[in-house]
């Protein structure tokens, strides 16, 4: 029976490839693991384990849409395979879809009633859903909400005599203060709440009148440095400044979103960036990323970290100020810089982006969502997002957008890259990512791009991670999500 022999041979070859894929996964080479699991699936698509394992590798790369698809396939192949539901539940959870996650963990418990791990995760998920329902029940409609900033007067807050940290004298944030604050942060000291309030409230005032799309003018002979995701990696942020100089009018920076979450020094990162903006607004430009949002901060650590290092009031205040952040920048009318990517429709003009009412939590569709969430793809056209939010867009989409708006280049961030950057779409799109050894496990380099006027030719500089105190990534994250890391 040659057909049966061939099937048997395919199945055994698939098992060999799965072993290689598992080794790649253990070495944190998740992209390679996905390629190998794919080969195993092509040889034997009726093995639920391959689909579930590939789902987990996608989850590690934050490709939650693909993770859900693969876990669903594992369940179709074997409806009694509890890991299929488990993987899908974890991916739903990572997207903040607690109710969908709960259904999958309930199914895990039905299949494996004596599994203590499944019981624990189900209880945590039930708690998260109950908390969500409670928050929904007590939340006020948008029209009745007041700004938390209106209830804060930092002038009335006393600074205890024993406080030895950085101080703002009067109402002006100075460079000397910022340097002292950064030194304190390096030594794991906290900033007094009075000064933290002062920085964040001044930042709110600076941002509220800015447009959703900011034009940056770089004079001939001058430079602008663009950085990608920092994700709470404060010691790597300090390293960027050591390599490239502190932000100043003569040495301006654009940080392209995702300042917080994942890394456990997010408070230090955001206060440092905000403080530099207070010292000199033209020294540093800040764009919103998909992680500057309540739903992400609730899951990936920033909310818990703010509660621990500052207070509950700051949780609300940061959420409000994040809604003030601009969505994109254009350098000298030639380089478009955005956190995520481009759009599900052609013909979007810069004026359309300027007109976005950004003062809200990011919606789940539309231009604002796509600016924050989309990713490039290597083939033409558009496709579904690997993340489950936004979309994937090809080089033809990038080319048309640039032509329609008389631009030369798209710079975006949002995705970890082995070398800290990647050039795609015939050189018309660059991804830059500035969190090296992301989450202390990816082994990637970080990068930043220096643009010098007038030609604005991108000069990409890469760097490696530096040591940091022994506080693990996600240390302040939702308990439930930490179980899956």
């Amino acid at each position: 029976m040659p057909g049966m022999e061939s099937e048997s041979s395919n199945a055994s070859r698939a098992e060999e490839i799965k072993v290689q894929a598992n080794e790649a996964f253990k070495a944190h080479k998740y992209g390679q693991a996905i390629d190998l699991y794919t080969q195993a699936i092509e040889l034997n698509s009726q093995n639920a384990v391959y689909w579930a394992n590939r789902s987990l590798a996608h989850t590690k790369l934050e490709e939650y849409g693909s993770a859900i698809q693969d876990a669903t396939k594992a369940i179709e192949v074997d409806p009694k395979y509890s890991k299929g539901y488990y993987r899908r539940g974890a991916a739903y959870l990572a997207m903040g879809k607690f109710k969908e996650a709960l259904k999958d963990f309930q199914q895990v418990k039905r299949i494996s009633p004596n599994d203590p791990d499944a019981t624990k995760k189900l209880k945590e998920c039930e708690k998260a859903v109950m908390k969500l329902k409670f928050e929904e029940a007590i939340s006020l409609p948008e029209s009745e909400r007041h700004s938390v900033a209106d209830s804060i007067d930092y002038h009335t807050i006393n600074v205890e005599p024993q406080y030895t940290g950085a101080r703002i004298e009067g109402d002006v944030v100075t460079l000397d203060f910022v340097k002292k604050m950064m030194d304190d942060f390096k030594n794991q000291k906290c900033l007094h709440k009075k000064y933290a309030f002062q920085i964040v409230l001044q930042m709110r005032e600076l941002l509220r009148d800015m447009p959703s799309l900011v034009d940056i003018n770089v004079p001939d002979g001058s430079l602008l440095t663009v950085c990608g995701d920092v994700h709470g990696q404060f010691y790597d942020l300090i390293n960027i400044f050591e390599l490239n100089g502190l932000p100043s009018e003569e040495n301006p920076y654009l940080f392209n979103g995702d300042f917080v979450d994942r890394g456990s020094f997010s408070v230090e990162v955001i206060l440092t960036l905000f403080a530099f903006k207070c010292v000199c607004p033209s020294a540093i430009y800040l764009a919103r990323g998909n992680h500057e949002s309540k739903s992400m901060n609730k899951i990936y650590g920033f909310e818990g970290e703010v509660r621990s290092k500052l207070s509950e009031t700051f949780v609300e205040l940061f959420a409000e100020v994040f809604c003030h952040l601009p969505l994109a920048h254009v350098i000298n009318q030639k380089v478009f810089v955005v956190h995520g990517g481009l759009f599900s429709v052609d013909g979007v003009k810069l004026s359309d982006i300027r007109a976005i009412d950004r003062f809200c939590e990011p919606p789940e569709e539309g231009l604002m969502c796509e600016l924050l969430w989309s990713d490039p793809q290597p083939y033409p056209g558009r496709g579904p997002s690997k993340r489950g939010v936004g979309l994937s867009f090809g080089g033809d989409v990038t080319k048309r957008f640039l032509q329609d708006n008389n631009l030369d280049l798209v710079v975006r961030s949002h995705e970890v890259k082995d070398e800290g950057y990647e050039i795609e779409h015939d050189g018309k799109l660059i991804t830059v990512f500035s969190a090296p050894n992301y989450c202390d496990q990816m082994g990637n380099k970080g990068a930043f791009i220096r643009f010098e006027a007038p030609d604005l030719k991108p000069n990409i500089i890469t760097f490696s991670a530096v040591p940091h105190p022994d506080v693990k990534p996600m240390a302040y994250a939702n308990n439930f999500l930490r179980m899956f890391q």
Side-chain angles (χ1 to χ4, degrees):
M1 302 286 285
M4 288 181 70
E5 281 172 24
S6 169
E7 276 179 33
S8 167
S9 147
N10 281 352
S12 60
R13 177 75 188 118
E15 274 299 297
E16 288 168 19
I17 292 170
K18 182 197 84 171
V19 171
Q20 293 172 29
N22 290 351
E23 290 303 314
F25 185 93
K26 282 180 200 159
H28 307 306
K29 294 177 178 172
Y30 303 119
Q32 188 183 334
I34 286 168
D35 291 342
L36 288 164
Y37 288 130
T38 302
Q39 289 176 36
I41 287 165
E42 284 166 357
L43 288 165
N44 180 10
S45 63
Q46 294 308 298
N47 189 320
V49 175
Y50 304 162
W51 293 101
N53 286 8
R54 193 172 75 175
S55 172
L56 182 59
H58 279 302
T59 296
K60 290 290 185 181
L61 290 179
E62 302 177 22
E63 296 169 353
Y64 304 122
S66 297
I68 288 164
Q69 283 180 338
D70 277 358
T72 302
K73 189 66 185 173
I75 292 162
E76 284 171 16
V77 169
D78 183 356
K80 292 201 166 97
Y81 182 53
S82 63
K83 271 197 179 160
Y85 298 98
Y86 188 87
R87 299 279 182 250
R88 191 169 68 181
Y92 276 133
L93 180 73
M95 294 177 74
K97 297 190 171 183
F98 295 109
K99 291 170 188 172
E100 290 89 339
L102 180 60
K103 286 177 194 165
D104 278 334
F105 288 116
Q106 286 167 337
Q107 188 62 23
V108 173
K109 183 79 174 104
R110 277 194 283 273
I111 295 169
S112 311
N114 301 318
D115 180 345
D117 193 46
T119 304
K120 186 180 175 188
K121 286 183 171 58
L122 179 59
K123 280 185 179 161
E124 284 287 343
C125 200
E126 284 169 342
K127 269 200 304 198
V129 171
M130 287 298 291
K131 187 165 181 277
L132 203 65
K133 285 181 177 170
F134 177 71
E135 286 171 357
E136 282 171 4
I138 63 167
S139 68
L140 289 168
E142 202 74 47
S143 57
E144 292 176 33
R145 283 182 206 165
H146 298 290
S147 166
V148 67
D150 296 339
S151 64
I152 302 162
D153 181 1
Y154 65 83
H155 297 95
T156 64
I157 300 172
N158 289 322
V159 179
E160 301 77 9
Q162 61 267 36
Y163 175 73
T164 58
R167 292 171 182 261
I168 301 171
E169 304 300 337
D171 286 334
V172 179
V173 180
T174 65
L175 183 58
D176 286 343
F177 161 78
V178 180
K179 287 178 179 174
K180 167 79 167 97
M181 179 183 74
M182 286 163 65
D183 280 339
D184 288 349
F185 285 162
K186 274 193 253 185
N187 295 312
Q188 291 186 275
K189 293 179 183 172
C190 287
L191 181 67
H192 196 281
K193 290 182 184 64
K194 172 173 182 154
Y195 307 123
F197 272 130
Q198 189 169 344
I199 290 165
V200 182
L201 289 168
Q202 282 191 25
M203 189 68 191
R204 178 176 174 268
E205 292 305 305
L206 283 169
L207 292 175
R208 65 194 304 183
D209 295 327
M210 292 180 77
S212 292
L213 175 67
V214 175
D215 288 295
I216 303 175
N217 179 47
V218 183
D220 287 0
S222 298
L223 286 163
L224 174 75
T225 300
V226 178
C227 297
D229 304 36
V230 177
H231 274 302
Q233 295 185 196
F234 176 72
Y235 295 84
D236 293 307
L237 174 66
I238 296 297
N239 187 39
I240 291 172
F241 293 151
E242 285 173 0
L243 293 170
N244 196 57
L246 291 174
S248 66
E249 203 153 7
E250 298 73 39
N251 188 38
Y253 282 79
L254 164 53
F255 281 86
N256 198 27
D258 281 14
F259 321 120
V260 301
D261 280 341
R262 296 279 187 182
S264 294
F265 303 95
S266 291
V267 165
E268 290 81 353
V269 166
I270 199 67
L271 287 175
T272 299
L273 296 177
F274 279 9
F276 272 117
K277 185 83 176 164
C278 292
V279 171
C280 178
S282 59
I284 193 163
Y285 298 89
L286 303 173
R288 193 174 192 175
N290 61 302
H291 276 267
E292 278 71 55
S293 68
K294 276 188 198 172
S295 59
M296 293 289 107
N297 298 160
K298 201 178 285 293
I299 302 169
Y300 290 101
F302 184 59
E303 188 176 294
E305 187 182 337
V306 170
R307 245 185 225 112
S308 173
K309 293 178 180 176
L310 294 166
S311 71
E312 185 68 43
T313 307
F314 276 96
V315 171
E316 283 185 65
L317 185 59
F318 276 117
E320 184 182 319
V321 174
F322 286 166
C323 292
H324 288 61
L325 287 163
L327 302 177
H329 293 77
V330 175
I331 307 168
N332 288 10
Q333 302 177 316
K334 288 297 170 192
V335 180
F336 179 71
V337 188
V338 67
H339 179 72
L342 300 181
F343 311 102
S344 54
V345 292
D346 283 340
V348 174
K349 293 291 177 49
L350 296 181
S351 55
D352 298 319
I353 301 168
R354 275 193 195 92
I356 294 171
D357 180 3
R358 70 182 188 277
F359 298 97
C360 61
E361 288 302 311
E364 291 193 11
E365 57 185 17
L367 296 187
M368 182 170 168
C369 168
E370 290 161 5
L371 284 163
L372 299 179
W373 279 98
S374 293
D375 295 301
Q377 64 183 25
Y379 35 88
R382 294 177 172 89
S385 166
K386 294 177 290 189
R387 300 172 189 268
V389 190
L391 69 143
S392 297
F393 60 95
D396 55 332
V397 175
T398 299
K399 187 179 175 184
R400 286 195 298 272
F401 174 77
L402 292 172
Q403 284 173 345
D404 287 349
N405 290 285
N406 197 25
L407 297 163
D408 294 339
L409 180 68
V410 173
V411 174
R412 45 87 63 180
S413 304
H414 194 40
E415 282 183 285
V416 62
K417 297 293 179 185
D418 287 346
E419 293 302 313
Y421 73 97
E422 187 172 356
I423 301 171
E424 298 172 81
H425 295 180
D426 296 325
K428 294 296 185 186
L429 182 143
I430 304 176
T431 297
V432 61
F433 191 86
S434 305
N437 195 25
Y438 180 46
C439 294
D440 283 359
Q441 61 170 278
M442 296 300 283
N444 60 292
K445 288 181 180 170
F448 52 83
I449 309 174
R450 290 159 61 102
F451 288 98
E452 185 173 357
D455 66 351
L456 298 183
K457 184 174 175 288
N459 177 17
I460 301 170
I461 289 127
T462 64
F463 59 97
S464 297
V466 295
H468 64 75
D470 187 21
V471 184
K472 299 282 182 285
M474 305 277 280
Y476 301 92
N478 182 302
N479 277 340
F480 189 32
L481 196 69
R482 276 213 308 279
M483 291 192 234
F484 297 94
Q485 296 304 301

